[in-house]
Amino acid sequence: MMRYIKLVNFEINRFSKIYLSLLLITLVSQFAGVIIVTKSLLNDARDIMKEERLSEAAYITNYGSLDFNHISNSLLFVGPIALSAVALIFYIFLIWYRDWFGKNTFIYRLLMLPTSRLSIYLSKATAIFLMVLGMIAFQIIILPMENALFNSNVPEALLNEMSISTITIANPILSLIIPSTFTQFLISYGIGLMIMSILFTAIMFERSFRIKGIIMGLLYCGIAAVLFLAPVLMEIGNFYFYPNELFGLMLAIGIILTGLSVWLGAWLLKNRVTV
C-alpha cells in the first residue's frame, strides 16, 4: 500500500507545475471575467437608461435584471474550465507516453520496481482522478467568492441575486462538473472513470502490439461505446425501458466495462508490455 501511495504522490508531483498553472489561470481568468463583464453590463445598462430615459425599474421591466448567469456564460469564465478539461484528457495519454518517449525512457525503471504492475496502473488512474476532484473542489471554493464580488458591484435595484445551487443548475458546464446531488455525482464521475479506464486499456493495446494495437485499441473503444449505449440505442429502436430499468442497465454495463478495462489493461501491462 505504501508503494502505491508513493507512486500516486510521484505521479501528482510530475504534473504539479502544469496543474497549479491551470488553477492559477482559472482563478485569474474567472475573477477578471467577473470584473470585466460586470463593468460592461453596467455601462450598457446606464447607456440604455440614458438614451431611452428609463428608470431602473423600467429598465428591469424591459430588459431584465442582472444576474450571475451573464458571468458564468462568458468566455472568461468557461474558457479555463474547458482548458483544464482538455489538459486532463490529454494527460491521460501523456501520463503513459511520457514514460516511453521521455529523455531517459523512464518506463524501464518504472516497470522494474519491486511492486505489482497493477499498482503502477492504478496509481496513474488515481492521480488523474484526484487532480480532477481537486479542480472541482477549487471551483466550488472560488465560485461563492466570485458571486459575492458580482453582487457587491451591481446596484441592488438592478441585481437578481442567485444562490450557488441556482448558478450551478442554470449553467450546463457547471451542472456537469458540480452535480447537484450525490447520485448525479456518482453517475458523472463514474462515467468519467469508465472512459479513463477504457482509454488506458486502448493505450496498453498500442504499447503491447504497436501498429496492430492501435487498431485493437480503437476497436475496443468502439465496442465499449456501443455496449454502454446499447440500452439507449434499443430505446431508439422502439424497445421501451422504464427510467429505472434504463438507469440500472447502464449502471451495470458501466461497472462491467470499468472492471473489464482495468483487468485487461493491467493484464496487458503485466504480460504483454516488456522492458
Side-chain angles (χ1 to χ4, degrees):
M1 178 59 72
M2 287 303 299
R3 287 175 178 171
Y4 163 73
I5 294 174
K6 288 180 179 178
L7 284 170
V8 173
N9 182 63
F10 172 74
E11 292 293 350
I12 291 175
N13 287 336
R14 295 175 81 189
F15 192 62
S16 59
K17 291 182 180 179
I18 298 176
Y19 185 68
L20 292 174
S21 297
L22 291 171
L23 295 181
L24 181 60
I25 289 171
T26 300
L27 179 69
V28 173
S29 179
Q30 290 191 352
F31 271 94
V34 173
I35 296 170
I36 293 171
V37 175
T38 302
K39 185 177 180 180
S40 176
L41 290 170
L42 290 175
N43 287 337
D44 290 343
R46 291 190 185 104
D47 289 341
I48 291 173
M49 285 188 287
K50 184 178 180 180
E51 290 174 5
E52 300 183 13
R53 298 180 180 180
L54 298 174
S55 64
E56 291 176 337
Y59 175 85
I60 292 175
T61 300
N62 292 339
Y63 296 97
S65 55
L66 305 182
D67 57 48
F68 197 82
N69 279 334
H70 294 91
I71 307 296
S72 61
N73 289 321
S74 68
L75 181 61
L76 285 171
F77 189 91
V78 300
I81 297 177
L83 176 64
S84 299
V86 170
L88 287 174
I89 292 171
F90 177 72
Y91 194 62
I92 290 176
F93 298 91
L94 182 63
I95 200 171
W96 286 105
Y97 286 111
R98 177 178 56 185
D99 292 340
W100 264 282
F101 300 114
K103 292 182 180 179
N104 300 316
T105 318
F106 185 75
I107 192 66
Y108 296 145
R109 285 187 287 166
L110 192 61
L111 294 179
M112 293 295 289
L113 289 175
T115 187
S116 168
R117 291 191 179 183
L118 177 61
S119 295
I120 297 172
Y121 180 100
L122 293 178
S123 68
K124 292 181 181 292
T126 303
I128 292 176
F129 189 64
L130 288 177
M131 285 187 281
V132 170
L133 293 182
M135 285 187 167
I136 302 310
F138 184 71
Q139 184 66 72
I140 292 173
I141 291 170
I142 65 174
L143 186 57
M145 302 178 191
E146 294 163 348
N147 189 36
L149 178 61
F150 174 78
N151 293 341
S152 65
N153 286 332
V154 177
E156 187 175 349
L158 296 176
L159 176 64
N160 176 24
E161 192 168 344
M162 300 176 67
S163 66
I164 299 302
S165 60
T166 304
I167 292 171
T168 55
I169 292 172
N171 184 281
I173 294 177
L174 288 178
S175 64
L176 178 64
I177 66 172
I178 309 176
S180 58
T181 66
F182 184 67
T183 301
Q184 290 177 338
F185 172 84
L186 291 178
I187 294 172
S188 295
Y189 290 95
I191 291 174
L193 278 174
M194 179 189 70
I195 293 173
M196 180 174 65
S197 66
I198 291 170
L199 291 176
F200 268 23
T201 302
I203 293 169
M204 290 302 100
F205 271 120
E206 188 279 327
R207 286 291 84 195
S208 299
F209 303 103
R210 298 304 191 269
I211 300 299
K212 292 181 180 179
I214 295 175
I215 299 173
M216 294 170 70
L218 291 174
L219 284 174
Y220 182 78
C221 290
I223 292 171
V226 171
L227 286 175
F228 182 68
L229 296 174
V232 178
L233 297 175
M234 292 172 67
E235 278 213 323
I236 295 174
N238 295 323
F239 193 96
Y240 180 76
F241 291 107
Y242 289 105
N244 288 340
E245 292 175 336
L246 182 63
F247 173 77
L249 278 172
M250 296 189 73
L251 177 64
I253 294 171
I255 292 173
I256 292 171
L257 285 174
T258 301
L260 176 64
S261 297
V262 171
W263 174 82
L264 183 56
W267 184 87
L268 289 169
L269 182 62
K270 178 181 178 181
N271 297 289
R272 299 297 305 187
V273 176
T274 60
V275 296

